[in-house]
mmCIF file of all heavy atoms in Angstrom:
data_model
loop_
_atom_site.group_PDB
_atom_site.id
_atom_site.type_symbol
_atom_site.label_atom_id
_atom_site.label_comp_id
_atom_site.label_asym_id
_atom_site.label_seq_id
_atom_site.Cartn_x
_atom_site.Cartn_y
_atom_site.Cartn_z
ATOM 1 N N PHE A 41 11.962 -6.068 11.106
ATOM 2 C CA PHE A 41 12.095 -6.564 12.481
ATOM 3 C C PHE A 41 11.322 -7.871 12.648
ATOM 4 O O PHE A 41 10.251 -8.057 12.068
ATOM 5 C CB PHE A 41 11.568 -5.526 13.478
ATOM 6 C CG PHE A 41 12.474 -4.329 13.604
ATOM 7 C CD1 PHE A 41 12.255 -3.198 12.831
ATOM 8 C CD2 PHE A 41 13.557 -4.352 14.473
ATOM 9 C CE1 PHE A 41 13.095 -2.092 12.930
ATOM 10 C CE2 PHE A 41 14.403 -3.257 14.580
ATOM 11 C CZ PHE A 41 14.174 -2.122 13.801
ATOM 12 N N PRO A 42 11.853 -8.773 13.465
ATOM 13 C CA PRO A 42 11.129 -10.043 13.695
ATOM 14 C C PRO A 42 9.854 -9.779 14.489
ATOM 15 O O PRO A 42 9.736 -8.747 15.143
ATOM 16 C CB PRO A 42 12.129 -10.868 14.520
ATOM 17 C CG PRO A 42 13.028 -9.869 15.157
ATOM 18 C CD PRO A 42 13.096 -8.683 14.248
ATOM 19 N N PRO A 43 8.917 -10.730 14.460
ATOM 20 C CA PRO A 43 7.659 -10.512 15.187
ATOM 21 C C PRO A 43 7.911 -10.232 16.675
ATOM 22 O O PRO A 43 8.816 -10.815 17.279
ATOM 23 C CB PRO A 43 6.916 -11.831 15.009
ATOM 24 C CG PRO A 43 7.535 -12.479 13.815
ATOM 25 C CD PRO A 43 8.960 -12.009 13.759
ATOM 26 N N HIS A 44 7.105 -9.354 17.244
ATOM 27 C CA HIS A 44 7.201 -9.019 18.672
ATOM 28 C C HIS A 44 6.755 -10.243 19.484
ATOM 29 O O HIS A 44 5.779 -10.908 19.121
ATOM 30 C CB HIS A 44 6.276 -7.828 18.941
ATOM 31 C CG HIS A 44 6.439 -7.230 20.297
ATOM 32 N ND1 HIS A 44 5.946 -7.817 21.435
ATOM 33 C CD2 HIS A 44 7.041 -6.085 20.697
ATOM 34 C CE1 HIS A 44 6.236 -7.058 22.488
ATOM 35 N NE2 HIS A 44 6.900 -5.997 22.049
ATOM 36 N N ALA A 45 7.466 -10.507 20.612
ATOM 37 C CA ALA A 45 7.175 -11.714 21.401
ATOM 38 C C ALA A 45 5.720 -11.737 21.879
ATOM 39 O O ALA A 45 5.066 -12.799 21.856
ATOM 40 C CB ALA A 45 8.127 -11.782 22.591
ATOM 41 N N ALA A 46 5.199 -10.594 22.299
ATOM 42 C CA ALA A 46 3.813 -10.563 22.815
ATOM 43 C C ALA A 46 2.806 -10.853 21.697
ATOM 44 O O ALA A 46 1.755 -11.453 21.934
ATOM 45 C CB ALA A 46 3.526 -9.196 23.433
ATOM 46 N N VAL A 47 3.151 -10.440 20.502
ATOM 47 C CA VAL A 47 2.261 -10.691 19.365
ATOM 48 C C VAL A 47 2.268 -12.186 19.035
ATOM 49 O O VAL A 47 1.216 -12.800 18.808
ATOM 50 C CB VAL A 47 2.696 -9.830 18.150
ATOM 51 C CG1 VAL A 47 1.923 -10.222 16.905
ATOM 52 C CG2 VAL A 47 2.521 -8.345 18.458
ATOM 53 N N LEU A 48 3.453 -12.755 19.053
ATOM 54 C CA LEU A 48 3.552 -14.207 18.795
ATOM 55 C C LEU A 48 2.790 -14.989 19.850
ATOM 56 O O LEU A 48 2.077 -15.952 19.541
ATOM 57 C CB LEU A 48 5.016 -14.643 18.812
ATOM 58 C CG LEU A 48 5.833 -14.405 17.545
ATOM 59 C CD1 LEU A 48 7.251 -14.928 17.738
ATOM 60 C CD2 LEU A 48 5.177 -15.076 16.343
ATOM 61 N N ALA A 49 2.919 -14.569 21.111
ATOM 62 C CA ALA A 49 2.236 -15.280 22.209
ATOM 63 C C ALA A 49 0.716 -15.197 22.021
ATOM 64 O O ALA A 49 0.005 -16.201 22.162
ATOM 65 C CB ALA A 49 2.648 -14.681 23.548
ATOM 66 N N ALA A 50 0.226 -14.009 21.692
ATOM 67 C CA ALA A 50 -1.228 -13.835 21.512
ATOM 68 C C ALA A 50 -1.719 -14.699 20.354
ATOM 69 O O ALA A 50 -2.789 -15.313 20.415
ATOM 70 C CB ALA A 50 -1.537 -12.363 21.244
ATOM 71 N N MET A 51 -0.908 -14.752 19.323
ATOM 72 C CA MET A 51 -1.281 -15.545 18.153
ATOM 73 C C MET A 51 -1.351 -17.040 18.516
ATOM 74 O O MET A 51 -2.284 -17.745 18.146
ATOM 75 C CB MET A 51 -0.200 -15.319 17.103
ATOM 76 C CG MET A 51 -0.591 -15.595 15.714
ATOM 77 S SD MET A 51 0.851 -15.281 14.694
ATOM 78 C CE MET A 51 1.479 -16.932 14.566
ATOM 79 N N ASN A 52 -0.373 -17.476 19.306
ATOM 80 C CA ASN A 52 -0.352 -18.887 19.704
ATOM 81 C C ASN A 52 -1.506 -19.229 20.628
ATOM 82 O O ASN A 52 -2.027 -20.338 20.608
ATOM 83 C CB ASN A 52 0.981 -19.229 20.381
ATOM 84 C CG ASN A 52 2.089 -19.289 19.356
ATOM 85 O OD1 ASN A 52 1.823 -19.557 18.179
ATOM 86 N ND2 ASN A 52 3.302 -19.003 19.774
ATOM 87 N N GLU A 53 -1.897 -18.238 21.449
ATOM 88 C CA GLU A 53 -3.025 -18.486 22.356
ATOM 89 C C GLU A 53 -4.339 -18.664 21.599
ATOM 90 O O GLU A 53 -5.237 -19.346 22.062
ATOM 91 C CB GLU A 53 -3.169 -17.319 23.340
ATOM 92 C CG GLU A 53 -2.531 -17.621 24.676
ATOM 93 C CD GLU A 53 -2.447 -16.379 25.532
ATOM 94 O OE1 GLU A 53 -3.449 -15.635 25.640
ATOM 95 O OE2 GLU A 53 -1.355 -16.148 26.080
ATOM 96 N N ALA A 54 -4.422 -18.032 20.459
ATOM 97 C CA ALA A 54 -5.651 -18.154 19.652
ATOM 98 C C ALA A 54 -5.581 -19.470 18.877
ATOM 99 O O ALA A 54 -5.547 -19.498 17.655
ATOM 100 C CB ALA A 54 -5.762 -16.967 18.706
ATOM 101 N N SER A 55 -5.531 -20.562 19.640
ATOM 102 C CA SER A 55 -5.197 -21.843 19.000
ATOM 103 C C SER A 55 -6.425 -22.705 18.693
ATOM 104 O O SER A 55 -6.289 -23.838 18.228
ATOM 105 C CB SER A 55 -4.228 -22.621 19.897
ATOM 106 O OG SER A 55 -4.821 -22.779 21.165
ATOM 107 N N ASP A 56 -7.638 -22.196 18.965
ATOM 108 C CA ASP A 56 -8.829 -23.015 18.716
ATOM 109 C C ASP A 56 -9.187 -22.973 17.227
ATOM 110 O O ASP A 56 -10.301 -22.596 16.838
ATOM 111 C CB ASP A 56 -10.004 -22.556 19.579
ATOM 112 C CG ASP A 56 -10.311 -21.073 19.428
ATOM 113 O OD1 ASP A 56 -9.436 -20.338 18.891
ATOM 114 O OD2 ASP A 56 -11.403 -20.641 19.837
ATOM 115 N N ILE A 57 -8.222 -23.426 16.444
ATOM 116 C CA ILE A 57 -8.402 -23.286 14.988
ATOM 117 C C ILE A 57 -9.340 -24.342 14.396
ATOM 118 O O ILE A 57 -9.574 -24.349 13.190
ATOM 119 C CB ILE A 57 -7.047 -23.272 14.237
ATOM 120 C CG1 ILE A 57 -6.236 -24.521 14.594
ATOM 121 C CG2 ILE A 57 -6.253 -22.008 14.528
ATOM 122 C CD1 ILE A 57 -5.021 -24.703 13.720
ATOM 123 N N ASN A 58 -9.880 -25.203 15.249
ATOM 124 C CA ASN A 58 -10.954 -26.084 14.774
ATOM 125 C C ASN A 58 -12.271 -25.321 14.663
ATOM 126 O O ASN A 58 -13.230 -25.800 14.069
ATOM 127 C CB ASN A 58 -11.129 -27.283 15.712
ATOM 128 C CG ASN A 58 -11.302 -26.858 17.158
ATOM 129 O OD1 ASN A 58 -10.577 -25.981 17.633
ATOM 130 N ND2 ASN A 58 -12.255 -27.457 17.851
ATOM 131 N N ARG A 59 -12.323 -24.097 15.251
ATOM 132 C CA ARG A 59 -13.520 -23.246 15.178
ATOM 133 C C ARG A 59 -13.297 -22.127 14.169
ATOM 134 O O ARG A 59 -12.174 -21.674 13.983
ATOM 135 C CB ARG A 59 -13.803 -22.587 16.547
ATOM 136 C CG ARG A 59 -13.941 -23.568 17.685
ATOM 137 C CD ARG A 59 -15.259 -24.298 17.628
ATOM 138 N NE ARG A 59 -15.366 -25.256 18.720
ATOM 139 C CZ ARG A 59 -16.283 -26.220 18.769
ATOM 140 N NH1 ARG A 59 -17.155 -26.373 17.792
ATOM 141 N NH2 ARG A 59 -16.319 -27.037 19.781
ATOM 142 N N TYR A 60 -14.393 -21.650 13.573
ATOM 143 C CA TYR A 60 -14.289 -20.460 12.714
ATOM 144 C C TYR A 60 -13.968 -19.236 13.564
ATOM 145 O O TYR A 60 -14.350 -19.173 14.734
ATOM 146 C CB TYR A 60 -15.612 -20.222 11.981
ATOM 147 C CG TYR A 60 -15.871 -21.199 10.862
ATOM 148 C CD1 TYR A 60 -16.898 -22.134 10.956
ATOM 149 C CD2 TYR A 60 -15.094 -21.167 9.699
ATOM 150 C CE1 TYR A 60 -17.139 -23.026 9.919
ATOM 151 C CE2 TYR A 60 -15.343 -22.051 8.662
ATOM 152 C CZ TYR A 60 -16.359 -22.981 8.778
ATOM 153 O OH TYR A 60 -16.604 -23.852 7.761
ATOM 154 N N PRO A 61 -13.306 -18.260 12.955
ATOM 155 C CA PRO A 61 -13.046 -17.019 13.710
ATOM 156 C C PRO A 61 -14.316 -16.195 13.860
ATOM 157 O O PRO A 61 -15.326 -16.478 13.219
ATOM 158 C CB PRO A 61 -12.039 -16.290 12.811
ATOM 159 C CG PRO A 61 -12.311 -16.782 11.429
ATOM 160 C CD PRO A 61 -12.767 -18.214 11.581
ATOM 161 N N ASP A 62 -14.245 -15.134 14.702
ATOM 162 C CA ASP A 62 -15.345 -14.175 14.802
ATOM 163 C C ASP A 62 -15.404 -13.414 13.478
ATOM 164 O O ASP A 62 -14.528 -12.607 13.176
ATOM 165 C CB ASP A 62 -15.078 -13.221 15.978
ATOM 166 C CG ASP A 62 -16.066 -12.055 16.004
ATOM 167 O OD1 ASP A 62 -17.031 -12.075 15.195
ATOM 168 O OD2 ASP A 62 -15.861 -11.129 16.808
ATOM 169 N N ALA A 63 -16.451 -13.660 12.709
ATOM 170 C CA ALA A 63 -16.543 -13.067 11.368
ATOM 171 C C ALA A 63 -16.577 -11.549 11.421
ATOM 172 O O ALA A 63 -16.191 -10.884 10.453
ATOM 173 C CB ALA A 63 -17.786 -13.594 10.649
ATOM 174 N N SER A 64 -17.018 -10.988 12.548
ATOM 175 C CA SER A 64 -17.146 -9.523 12.607
ATOM 176 C C SER A 64 -15.906 -8.877 13.227
ATOM 177 O O SER A 64 -15.821 -7.658 13.283
ATOM 178 C CB SER A 64 -18.385 -9.140 13.411
ATOM 179 O OG SER A 64 -18.105 -9.261 14.795
ATOM 180 N N ALA A 65 -14.963 -9.682 13.699
ATOM 181 C CA ALA A 65 -13.730 -9.168 14.340
ATOM 182 C C ALA A 65 -14.080 -8.116 15.392
ATOM 183 O O ALA A 65 -13.447 -7.050 15.462
ATOM 184 C CB ALA A 65 -12.765 -8.608 13.292
ATOM 185 N N PHE A 66 -15.074 -8.423 16.218
ATOM 186 C CA PHE A 66 -15.646 -7.379 17.073
ATOM 187 C C PHE A 66 -14.637 -6.765 18.039
ATOM 188 O O PHE A 66 -14.538 -5.532 18.157
ATOM 189 C CB PHE A 66 -16.867 -7.918 17.839
ATOM 190 C CG PHE A 66 -17.569 -6.841 18.600
ATOM 191 C CD1 PHE A 66 -18.246 -5.823 17.926
ATOM 192 C CD2 PHE A 66 -17.530 -6.805 19.994
ATOM 193 C CE1 PHE A 66 -18.873 -4.790 18.622
ATOM 194 C CE2 PHE A 66 -18.154 -5.779 20.687
ATOM 195 C CZ PHE A 66 -18.826 -4.770 20.001
ATOM 196 N N ALA A 67 -13.865 -7.605 18.734
ATOM 197 C CA ALA A 67 -12.937 -7.056 19.749
ATOM 198 C C ALA A 67 -11.911 -6.128 19.085
ATOM 199 O O ALA A 67 -11.601 -5.048 19.612
ATOM 200 C CB ALA A 67 -12.228 -8.201 20.478
ATOM 201 N N LEU A 68 -11.419 -6.519 17.941
ATOM 202 C CA LEU A 68 -10.428 -5.689 17.249
ATOM 203 C C LEU A 68 -11.070 -4.395 16.750
ATOM 204 O O LEU A 68 -10.488 -3.307 16.857
ATOM 205 C CB LEU A 68 -9.813 -6.483 16.080
ATOM 206 C CG LEU A 68 -8.770 -5.748 15.257
ATOM 207 C CD1 LEU A 68 -7.600 -5.280 16.128
ATOM 208 C CD2 LEU A 68 -8.240 -6.652 14.142
ATOM 209 N N ARG A 69 -12.302 -4.495 16.251
ATOM 210 C CA ARG A 69 -12.975 -3.273 15.785
ATOM 211 C C ARG A 69 -13.218 -2.318 16.954
ATOM 212 O O ARG A 69 -13.073 -1.100 16.817
ATOM 213 C CB ARG A 69 -14.293 -3.618 15.090
ATOM 214 C CG ARG A 69 -14.067 -4.170 13.681
ATOM 215 C CD ARG A 69 -15.342 -4.218 12.875
ATOM 216 N NE ARG A 69 -16.343 -5.093 13.468
ATOM 217 C CZ ARG A 69 -17.542 -4.693 13.881
ATOM 218 N NH1 ARG A 69 -17.928 -3.443 13.749
ATOM 219 N NH2 ARG A 69 -18.390 -5.560 14.405
ATOM 220 N N GLU A 70 -13.569 -2.881 18.117
ATOM 221 C CA GLU A 70 -13.768 -2.025 19.299
ATOM 222 C C GLU A 70 -12.477 -1.321 19.687
ATOM 223 O O GLU A 70 -12.480 -0.135 20.016
ATOM 224 C CB GLU A 70 -14.237 -2.886 20.474
ATOM 225 C CG GLU A 70 -15.668 -3.325 20.355
ATOM 226 C CD GLU A 70 -16.453 -2.924 21.591
ATOM 227 O OE1 GLU A 70 -16.199 -3.520 22.651
ATOM 228 O OE2 GLU A 70 -17.291 -2.012 21.490
ATOM 229 N N ALA A 71 -11.378 -2.060 19.651
ATOM 230 C CA ALA A 71 -10.086 -1.459 20.024
ATOM 231 C C ALA A 71 -9.708 -0.353 19.044
ATOM 232 O O ALA A 71 -9.233 0.720 19.444
ATOM 233 C CB ALA A 71 -8.996 -2.536 20.068
ATOM 234 N N LEU A 72 -9.919 -0.606 17.762
ATOM 235 C CA LEU A 72 -9.589 0.417 16.759
ATOM 236 C C LEU A 72 -10.523 1.620 16.896
ATOM 237 O O LEU A 72 -10.096 2.777 16.774
ATOM 238 C CB LEU A 72 -9.676 -0.175 15.345
ATOM 239 C CG LEU A 72 -8.549 -1.156 15.004
ATOM 240 C CD1 LEU A 72 -8.893 -1.975 13.751
ATOM 241 C CD2 LEU A 72 -7.231 -0.408 14.784
ATOM 242 N N ALA A 73 -11.798 1.336 17.175
ATOM 243 C CA ALA A 73 -12.772 2.419 17.331
ATOM 244 C C ALA A 73 -12.373 3.314 18.506
ATOM 245 O O ALA A 73 -12.406 4.555 18.400
ATOM 246 C CB ALA A 73 -14.168 1.838 17.541
ATOM 247 N N ALA A 74 -11.960 2.704 19.620
ATOM 248 C CA ALA A 74 -11.550 3.495 20.795
ATOM 249 C C ALA A 74 -10.319 4.325 20.442
ATOM 250 O O ALA A 74 -10.208 5.495 20.819
ATOM 251 C CB ALA A 74 -11.255 2.557 21.963
ATOM 252 N N ARG A 75 -9.419 3.745 19.693
ATOM 253 C CA ARG A 75 -8.188 4.448 19.309
ATOM 254 C C ARG A 75 -8.491 5.701 18.479
ATOM 255 O O ARG A 75 -7.834 6.725 18.620
ATOM 256 C CB ARG A 75 -7.340 3.450 18.511
ATOM 257 C CG ARG A 75 -6.016 3.947 18.041
ATOM 258 C CD ARG A 75 -5.351 2.848 17.205
ATOM 259 N NE ARG A 75 -4.100 3.322 16.672
ATOM 260 C CZ ARG A 75 -2.952 3.282 17.302
ATOM 261 N NH1 ARG A 75 -2.891 2.742 18.500
ATOM 262 N NH2 ARG A 75 -1.857 3.763 16.750
#
Side-chain angles (χ1 to χ4, degrees):
F41 288 93
H44 190 284
V47 172
L48 279 181
M51 202 181 96
N52 287 334
E53 262 169 47
S55 56
D56 54 344
I57 55 170
N58 52 316
R59 304 286 179 194
Y60 286 112
D62 171 7
S64 79
F66 187 68
L68 180 58
R69 284 193 298 119
E70 286 235 290
L72 289 165
R75 181 183 177 86

